[in-house]
Amino acid sequence: MSLQKSKGFSSIMKNPAISNKEKFRMVQGKAFRFLFGFNDRRGFVLKLLTYTLLISIGFVYLYPMLHMFVTSIKSLEDLLDMSIKWLPSTIYTSNYEQAYSVMNIKTAFKGSLLLALLPTICQVVVASLVGFGLARYNFPLKKLFFGLMIFSFIIPPQILMMPMYRLLSALELTGSLNAFIVPALLGQGLNSTIFILIFYQFFKQTPETLYEAAEVDGANQFTIFFKIAIPMAVPAFIVSFLFSFVWYWNETYLTTLYLTSRSTDITTILLQLQQFEQNYEAMYPVTANSPNKINEGIKMAGTVISILPLLIVYFFLQRYFVESVDKSGITGE
């Protein structure tokens, strides 16, 4: 098609009946359309700016990860060699072996999975119920409760951190996963307000006639919720679950505050990463001529191990995640 258009344009330009001024205008118009586009077609300039922006943003995000991975496979000799920047002389896997043993990965991974998964499930279930109730029913002081919920999200979490800790400590919930599960069951998990608003938006968009038709057919409120509301809010469940899982997985301050305040066997990968240097020196004592002194490569190997589970999860669920974000209307965080 483009070849036919090119031949047609060449034949027009060779037509002696067309004046040079008109030919110049035609060439000028074609150049303008090529550079800036026309109708819904983007021109070369816009495409160039778009791809330049995407590549620049991608580089900003990928550079730290590439640097971290390359450093993690460097030997001590490569780290000290200033001529070696991106391509190590050999792939040095001992960094990962030492980091794996220091971080106690099996126990830490189990603790991280439980800490992220159990509160997430509780939080998503409670947020969906609260969002459905706010969207479906009218009750006294509804606007007041809705405003208080928004206000609780606006308050900086650092202000509520110590009162919450005193409350959980008085209830003897600290030192266990209950310090995260119980608040999630009460709608006070990490950023629960966001998930309530997501479900509220979805259930509010559901046509009221569907609920009315189900009630006419004799369905009770639980049947309406499970048979109508939940199937239509699958994207909201996926987005809420993934966001909540990542936030609980990456939470370090509250984990340190709640779990390490009492003696407990529960640990997480990020807690192990925080104590990495201390644990390494305890496991590999450094003597005068010892080769076991910690270096940047070993630290980076531990960091790669800590983020690897999330990268694997995102790799398999990225399609569902992107589709759900698009349908739920989330524009960024």
Side-chain angles (χ1 to χ4, degrees), residues 20-39:
N20 293 331
K21 187 176 182 179
E22 292 178 349
K23 291 179 180 179
F24 175 76
R25 288 179 179 176
M26 294 175 63
V27 172
Q28 189 179 24
K30 185 175 182 180
F32 182 85
R33 290 193 297 270
F34 171 75
L35 292 174
F36 301 102
F38 65 98
N39 294 336

Side-chain angles (χ1 to χ4, degrees), residues 6 65 112 314:
S6 177
M65 299 184 65
S112 293
Y314 182 75

Side-chain angles (χ1 to χ4, degrees), residues 66-208:
L66 293 174
H67 175 74
M68 176 177 60
F69 176 73
V70 171
T71 304
S72 67
I73 59 175
K74 285 183 180 180
S75 62
L76 182 59
E77 291 77 11
D78 290 343
L79 291 172
L80 297 176
D81 191 349
M82 299 299 295
S83 62
I84 297 178
K85 183 65 177 176
W86 288 104
L87 296 177
S89 58
T90 57
I91 298 179
Y92 192 71
T93 59
S94 295
N95 292 335
Y96 284 92
E97 296 174 1
Q98 295 183 43
Y100 184 87
S101 60
V102 169
M103 295 178 68
N104 192 12
I105 290 298
K106 292 183 179 179
T107 303
F109 178 77
K110 180 180 178 182
S112 293
L113 187 61
L114 291 175
L115 178 65
L117 187 60
L118 296 180
T120 293
I121 294 175
C122 298
Q123 180 162 254
V124 172
V125 171
V126 172
S128 64
L129 289 172
V130 175
F132 179 77
L134 290 174
R136 181 75 176 85
Y137 306 109
N138 292 317
F139 49 87
L141 303 179
K142 173 182 176 181
K143 293 184 179 179
L144 177 61
F145 287 127
F146 199 86
L148 290 174
M149 181 184 68
I150 301 297
F151 181 73
S152 67
F153 179 72
I154 296 174
I155 298 176
Q158 292 80 5
I159 297 177
L160 302 176
M161 202 167 291
M162 292 312 299
M164 181 64 73
Y165 172 76
R166 292 290 299 272
L167 175 62
L168 295 177
S169 179
L171 296 175
E172 297 184 353
L173 296 177
T174 56
S176 67
L177 294 178
N178 292 328
F180 295 92
I181 295 176
V182 172
L185 287 173
L186 298 177
Q188 292 295 315
L190 290 179
N191 301 318
S192 288
T193 304
I194 294 179
F195 306 126
I196 293 174
L197 292 177
I198 291 175
F199 284 108
Y200 173 80
Q201 173 191 348
F202 254 83
F203 296 138
K204 196 70 175 177
Q205 293 175 350
T206 304
E208 191 71 20

